[in-house]
Amino acid sequence: MVITSALSMVMSRRVEHLLDELTARYIPAYGHLARANIRSLERALALRRMVIAKMQVPPDEEAYAARLRFFQEKDDEVEQEAGAARKLINAIIDDVSTPSDNAALARIENRIDNAMTEGRARLGEEQTKLLKQLDSKDFAETRATLARVDTLRDQLTQKIDAIRADMLSQVFASTSIVIRDQQQAIDVSAVVTGLAAALGLGFAFLVSSGITRPVRRLLQGTQEIEAGHFDQLISVSTKDEIGQLSAAFNRMVEQLRRNERIRETFGRYIDPRVVEGLLDRPDAATQGQRRLMTVMFCDMKGFTSMSEGMTPQGLVKVMNCYLTMMSEPIRERRGVIDKYIGDAIMAYWGPPFIEEADQARLACLAAIDMVDRVPKLRKQLPELLGVRVIPTECDIRIGIATGEVLTGSIGSDLMMSFTVMGDAVNLASRLEAVNKVYGCRILISEATAATAGTELELREIDRLAVVGQSMPQAVFEVMGRHGELTKQRELLRSRYKEGLAAYRIGRWEEARKAFNAGLEVSPGDGPSLALLSRVDHLQSNPPPADWNGSWHMEHK
C-alpha cells in the first residue's frame, strides 16, 4: 500500500502538472488569440465609425475624436493579447517537464509574430494613410483606402483564425496527453495494487477513477461540441483544476447555446442567408454595394374591403396563411424576402445569394408558383374565418423589375435594416399597382423580360413610363411557363400583338378589330379591354403629333 500510494502520488502530481499547463497556458493562449481577433474587429468598427463621423454634413468632430481614442487604445490591446499568447506558448516550449509538440508550437509562435509584424505593419500604413485622407477630407481616396484596409484586415483575420485553429489542435493534443498519462497511472496502479492487497487495490481504484472520470467526461464533452451538439453539460464533481476546467467548459457551452438560439431567432425575422452574412462578416453589412438585382412586389387584391368585416383574430389568421403560402415559392426559388408591408411582400434575387444570370428567371417562376397557389388560398380562407363564402374573391398582383440597386444596412444608430434601394425597387412597386389598370396578375419590366430566358411565355402589354420616370419602356405580362400555353391563349397573344402594333401607329379601327378578336378568343381579357377603352378615348381626343404610342401613368 505504501508503494501504491507513492506511485499514485507521483503520477497524480504529473497529471496535475499537465492539467495545470493545459488550464494555465494552452487554453489562456488560445483565449488571447481569440481576444486579439476581437480587438482587431473592434478597431475595424471604430475606424468605420470614424469615417462615417467625418463624412457627415457637418462632420461630427466630437464623435470622430472619441472613436480615434478608442481606435488607438484597441491597437495596444491587440499587441498585448498577441504578446501574451506568445509568452504562454514560449513558456510551454521552455517547460521540459511536460511533453509537447515544441516544433509545432514554435511555428505557431513564429506565425503570430509574422502576423503581428508584417500584417499589422501593412495595415497600420494604410490606416495612417486613411486618417490623413480623412483629415484632408479627401473622401474619394478615403473610400479606396478603406477598401484596401478591409482587405488587409480580412487577410489578418484569416491568419489569426488559422493560428487559432492550430492552437486548438494543440489544446486537444495536450488533453489527449493528459488522458494517456492518466491511463498509464491507472495501469501501473492496478499492477502494483494486485501485488499488494485487496485493500490497496480498492484504494488505488478509488483514487484513479476519481481523476479519470472527469477527464473523460471533459474529452467527451469537447468531442460533442466539436460535432456541433450543445445540449450536454459536464457534471462538476470536484473543486480541483479538473473541476474548474469542467465549470469553465460548461460556461462556454452555455454561451455557445445562447448564441445558437440568437442565430435561430434571427432566422425567423431575417432570411437565414442574410443572418449568416451578418454574423460572419458584420463589418461588410454596413458597406453599401451596388448590384444588379431583380425585385418583386406582391399584393393581395381586395384585401382592404375583405379586412373591414374581419375580427382581429380572423385577420391575423388570414394574414399568416396568406403570407406563409406566398412566401414558400419565393424561398423555394432561392429568393430573399426583404419585408412584409401589411399584405404586401417585397423580395429580391441577386448576388451573392444566386448567380446574376438566374435571378430574373427564378423571380418569374416564383411569381407563377404564387399565382398557382391562389385557388388553394381561396379554399382555405372560408375555413379560417368560419364562414361559407368570403364577401370578396381574393387574388394577387405581382410586379417584377430588374436593375441596379443599392444593398446594405440602412437605418439609424438605434436600428438597422438590411434591404435594397433604387429605381428597380420603385419600378417593381409601380408595376404591381399597374396590374390593376390592365387587369393582369404578373407584370415585369423590359430588363427582366430580356434576361428571363426561354422558360417563360411572355406578352408585351404596353409601353409606359411609371411615376418617377420620364422615359417609357415596354412592360410584359408573364402568361405561364414555356410550352404550357393553350392554343386559345396563344391565339389571344397573337391577336393582342396585332392590335398593339396598330394602336402604336394610330390605326384605331385595325387596333379595335384585333382587340375585339382577342376578346372573342378570351372574354374578359384585361389588357384587351384596357387598350380598347384607350382607343375609344384617343379617337375622341387625338394624341399630339409627337405621340409615340406610350402611356404615362400620371396621364391616367
Side-chain angles (χ1 to χ4, degrees):
M1 290 183 63
V2 171
I3 296 173
T4 301
S5 299
L7 287 174
S8 297
M9 186 178 298
V10 170
M11 293 182 178
S12 296
R13 286 179 178 177
R14 175 175 173 80
V15 172
E16 181 181 358
H17 183 55
L18 292 174
L19 284 172
D20 182 70
E21 182 179 62
L22 178 63
T23 57
R25 293 175 180 172
Y26 277 93
I27 294 179
Y30 179 80
H32 284 304
L33 288 175
R35 285 190 291 274
N37 197 6
I38 293 173
R39 301 297 177 262
S40 177
L41 294 176
E42 289 175 346
R43 290 193 77 220
L45 180 59
L47 184 62
R48 179 72 58 183
R49 291 180 175 175
M50 288 163 58
V51 173
I52 294 174
K54 273 290 187 180
M55 295 179 72
Q56 289 180 354
V57 180
D60 190 348
E61 297 295 340
E62 182 178 355
Y64 175 81
R67 295 301 176 188
L68 179 58
R69 289 193 299 272
F70 181 83
F71 177 79
Q72 293 169 344
E73 292 172 0
K74 293 303 175 182
D75 186 39
D76 294 334
E77 292 180 11
V78 171
E79 188 68 28
Q80 291 171 5
E81 296 291 351
R86 293 179 58 200
K87 183 178 179 181
L88 289 171
I89 292 173
N90 286 325
I92 297 172
I93 296 173
D94 295 336
D95 189 354
V96 296
S97 64
T98 57
S100 59
D101 190 350
N102 291 340
L105 291 172
R107 288 193 296 270
I108 292 175
E109 191 273 339
N110 186 52
R111 288 165 61 191
I112 296 173
D113 182 45
N114 291 339
M116 292 297 106
T117 303
E118 299 175 3
R120 292 187 69 250
R122 293 174 59 194
L123 188 60
E125 292 175 1
E126 293 295 333
Q127 289 171 345
T128 301
K129 185 186 300 183
L130 179 63
L131 294 178
K132 291 180 180 179
Q133 293 168 349
L134 281 176
D135 291 336
S136 62
K137 297 184 178 180
D138 189 0
F139 296 135
E141 289 297 323
T142 296
R143 293 185 179 92
T145 305
L146 185 60
R148 293 193 299 271
V149 168
D150 289 341
T151 301
L152 291 174
R153 186 167 302 283
D154 288 343
Q155 294 173 356
L156 179 60
T157 300
Q158 291 172 3
K159 289 180 180 179
I160 295 177
D161 287 340
I163 294 171
R164 286 171 53 200
D166 292 344
M167 190 62 202
L168 185 60
S169 298
Q170 294 300 316
V171 172
F172 288 152
S174 179
T175 305
S176 300
I177 291 174
V178 172
I179 297 173
R180 183 198 65 191
D181 283 21
Q182 183 57 51
Q183 190 61 48
Q184 290 177 355
I186 295 173
D187 294 339
V188 173
S189 297
V191 172
V192 176
T193 301
L195 299 175
L199 184 60
L201 178 61
F203 181 77
F205 176 79
L206 292 175
V207 173
S208 61
S209 62
I211 296 175
T212 305
R213 191 178 300 109
V215 177
R216 286 180 172 172
R217 285 200 298 265
L218 180 61
L219 177 60
Q220 183 180 3
T222 304
Q223 293 171 341
E224 290 291 330
I225 293 301
E226 186 179 15
H229 303 148
F230 306 127
D231 55 348
Q232 293 186 357
L233 296 178
I234 299 175
S235 60
V236 181
S237 57
T238 61
K239 295 183 180 181
D240 56 8
E241 289 82 358
I242 300 178
Q244 296 173 8
L245 183 60
S246 300
F249 182 87
N250 287 340
R251 290 193 294 270
M252 179 189 71
V253 171
E254 186 61 32
Q255 184 62 42
L256 291 173
R257 188 185 300 169
R258 188 178 298 111
N259 292 343
E260 188 66 21
R261 286 198 298 268
I262 292 174
R263 186 188 298 266
E264 293 175 355
T265 302
F266 278 178
R268 299 185 63 186
Y269 293 89
I270 309 175
D271 190 278
R273 290 167 292 179
V274 177
V275 173
E276 291 294 332
L278 293 174
L279 293 177
D280 293 340
R281 295 188 61 193
D283 56 325
T286 60
Q287 304 172 8
Q289 295 181 332
R290 288 202 170 274
R291 297 181 182 274
L292 184 66
M293 287 193 171
T294 298
V295 183
M296 169 196 286
F297 274 85
C298 174
D299 196 15
M300 180 187 287
K301 175 183 176 183
F303 174 76
T304 302
S305 58
M306 185 190 306
S307 62
E308 289 177 352
M310 294 184 187
T311 64
Q313 295 82 0
L315 183 60
V316 170
K317 288 182 180 179
V318 170
M319 286 299 300
N320 288 341
C321 177
Y322 160 71
L323 293 175
T324 299
M325 193 172 294
M326 295 302 153
S327 299
E328 288 174 353
I330 297 175
R331 290 283 181 86
E332 291 171 358
R333 296 294 184 176
R334 300 163 60 191
V336 176
I337 297 176
D338 184 88
K339 60 176 69 73
Y340 297 120
I341 313 170
D343 62 316
I345 303 173
M346 175 183 171
Y348 58 86
W349 284 257
F353 306 110
I354 61 172
E355 295 297 327
E356 186 176 297
D358 295 333
Q359 55 179 286
R361 175 180 61 84
L362 291 175
C364 293
L365 290 175
I368 295 174
D369 294 340
M370 295 164 72
V371 170
D372 290 342
R373 295 195 176 202
V374 170
K376 182 179 179 181
L377 177 64
R378 291 172 179 168
K379 183 179 179 181
Q380 290 186 3
L381 288 183
E383 298 177 4
L384 291 173
L385 298 175
V387 298
R388 292 184 178 181
V389 180
I390 56 176
T392 304
E393 185 176 13
C394 72
D395 206 341
I396 62 173
R397 294 189 292 260
I398 298 174
I400 301 174
T402 300
E404 189 178 69
V405 298
L406 175 66
T407 176
S409 292
I410 309 297
S412 66
D413 291 338
L414 300 178
M415 187 172 66
M416 306 290 285
S417 174
F418 191 87
T419 186
V420 295
M421 301 173 60
D423 289 340
V425 179
N426 176 65
L427 178 58
S429 176
R430 301 295 184 186
L431 290 179
E432 180 274 315
V434 171
N435 279 289
K436 187 185 301 183
V437 176
Y438 292 101
C440 299
R441 283 175 160 178
I442 307 172
L443 284 179
I444 66 176
S445 68
E446 187 173 3
T448 304
T451 57
T454 59
E455 293 188 28
L456 304 170
E457 297 287 355
L458 305 179
R459 170 170 58 156
E460 183 178 356
I461 296 299
D462 202 353
R463 192 162 51 230
L464 60 88
V466 300
V467 177
Q469 291 185 343
S470 58
M471 296 299 296
Q473 62 171 292
V475 177
F476 294 81
E477 178 192 17
V478 179
M479 302 182 71
R481 301 175 184 84
H482 178 69
E484 293 185 358
L485 287 188
T486 62
K487 292 183 179 180
Q488 181 183 12
R489 297 282 287 173
E490 290 180 354
L491 185 58
L492 169 65
R493 179 168 61 180
S494 177
R495 295 291 180 266
Y496 188 87
K497 182 177 180 180
E498 295 172 2
L500 186 63
Y503 159 79
R504 285 177 175 168
I505 59 177
R507 295 182 178 177
W508 310 125
E509 291 302 327
E510 292 183 20
R512 179 181 286 105
K513 181 178 179 181
F515 290 138
N516 282 323
L519 289 172
E520 290 177 2
V521 175
S522 179
D525 180 56
S528 298
L529 291 172
L531 268 292
L532 269 177
S533 175
R534 200 181 304 166
V535 166
D536 293 338
H537 174 76
L538 291 174
Q539 275 190 308
S540 303
N541 304 275
D546 60 347
W547 182 69
N548 59 1
S550 62
W551 178 59
H552 292 252
M553 283 188 66
E554 53 266 38
H555 296 158
K556 177 184 174 183

